[in-house]
Amino acid sequence: MTATIKGSLFILSAPSGAGKTTLCRALMKHFNEMIYSVSYTTREPRKNEMSGVDYHFISREEFAGKIKEEKWAEWAEVHGNYYGTSAGFLNEVLASGRDILLDIDVEGTKQILKRYPDSITIFIMPPAPEILRKRIESRGTDSREVAERRLKNAEREMAQRDLYRHIVVNDNLDEAVAEIISIVEMYLVRRPKGVRD
Ligand code: 5GP
């Protein structure tokens, strides 16, 4: 009998300021065969962000066209901009047997869970509301209005964290990285090598 070779889909979500980017990078460094799903967005690139690495930066028109053509595995409007995951890329990676990491918001996670109910979902919690506020404000890349919007959104997202299989508090970066690595490892070792179903 030939087993279907299929990769696992991991989702990491966190409110702005919870340290998700750093955690994602650490995870990708540790699991160097894992593929990172580079999202598409209509927001402006920040300083130091590279197209095709951090995001694929596209116009609103292009984004809307892909909604019509049903090219997104999920998409959401976050802080006034559109963000989406390419369905074609996602399916290609999973079919090839590789594992993929999605760094998406709660709305996107709900959509992915409908299509891929076996996805392994992890929510990162910031240690305390004051720390979240400080981190968002000290980022300095956003206007005051944008920072306020990010804070409100963070509260809404945290209220939905029970949707996720795992919740990790990013109190201490090294400990949070170790915890996420052990969660991912738990799923990877459960799966017999070569037979990934
Ligand atoms: P930022 O603009 O700070 O990079 O990201 C803002 C939010 O958009 C983050 O919560 C991030 O997880 C979310 N996000 C990034 N890419 C995607 C995506 O492809 N789909 C969805 N639904 N959310 C995304």
Side-chain angles (χ1 to χ4, degrees):
M1 195 180 81
T2 326
T4 323
I5 308 282
K6 207 168 137 271
S8 296
L9 199 166
F10 293 90
I11 300 179
L12 210 66
S13 295
S16 300
K20 186 178 48 174
T21 309
T22 316
L23 291 169
C24 270
R25 290 211 177 116
L27 203 60
M28 293 307 297
K29 202 171 158 202
H30 187 86
F31 297 101
N32 51 20
E33 287 187 8
M34 192 176 286
I35 306 291
Y36 179 74
S37 165
V38 178
S39 294
Y40 289 71
T41 184
T42 61
R43 89 152 156 71
E44 289 296 314
R46 295 193 185 113
K47 259 187 274 155
N48 306 325
E49 277 185 334
M50 273 169 52
S51 186
V53 176
D54 300 285
Y55 283 105
H56 298 287
F57 297 97
I58 61 171
S59 67
R60 284 184 169 250
E61 291 70 29
E62 203 179 329
F63 199 100
K66 287 181 191 288
I67 296 176
K68 268 206 192 120
E69 294 162 17
E70 300 185 354
K71 298 277 194 215
W72 302 123
E74 63 74 33
W75 68 271
E77 190 183 349
V78 189
H79 315 134
N81 288 300
Y82 292 99
Y83 294 81
T85 303
S86 157
F89 182 71
L90 184 55
N91 290 328
E92 196 181 299
V93 172
L94 292 176
S96 75
R98 283 168 301 169
D99 303 308
I100 189 161
L101 176 69
L102 268 57
D103 162 358
I104 60 175
D105 81 332
V106 176
E107 291 313 312
T109 302
K110 289 181 193 164
Q111 296 170 42
I112 292 288
L113 283 173
K114 275 194 196 139
R115 283 188 172 203
Y116 309 87
D118 294 337
S119 304
I120 298 128
T121 51
I122 306 170
F123 191 89
I124 316 292
M125 282 287 285
E130 316 83 72
I131 296 181
L132 183 71
R133 176 175 280 276
K134 259 197 207 130
R135 283 192 193 162
I136 291 179
E137 287 175 353
S138 69
R139 194 183 264 174
T141 51
D142 302 320
S143 66
R144 194 170 184 81
E145 189 198 328
V146 172
E148 273 312 312
R149 210 184 322 162
R150 283 181 183 277
L151 262 173
K152 284 236 161 65
N153 197 43
E155 279 160 16
R156 202 176 50 232
E157 292 214 303
M158 287 190 285
Q160 298 182 79
R161 63 184 178 275
D162 287 345
L163 200 94
Y164 289 73
R165 262 200 235 185
H166 302 274
I167 299 175
V168 173
V169 181
N170 187 9
D171 223 336
N172 169 296
L173 185 66
D174 291 340
E175 284 173 18
V177 168
E179 200 177 335
I180 297 173
I181 287 175
S182 71
I183 291 171
V184 172
E185 257 162 6
M186 185 169 79
Y187 289 97
L188 299 184
V189 295
R190 262 189 207 166
R191 203 173 47 194
K193 257 212 157 98
V195 183
R196 301 173 165 193
D197 204 3

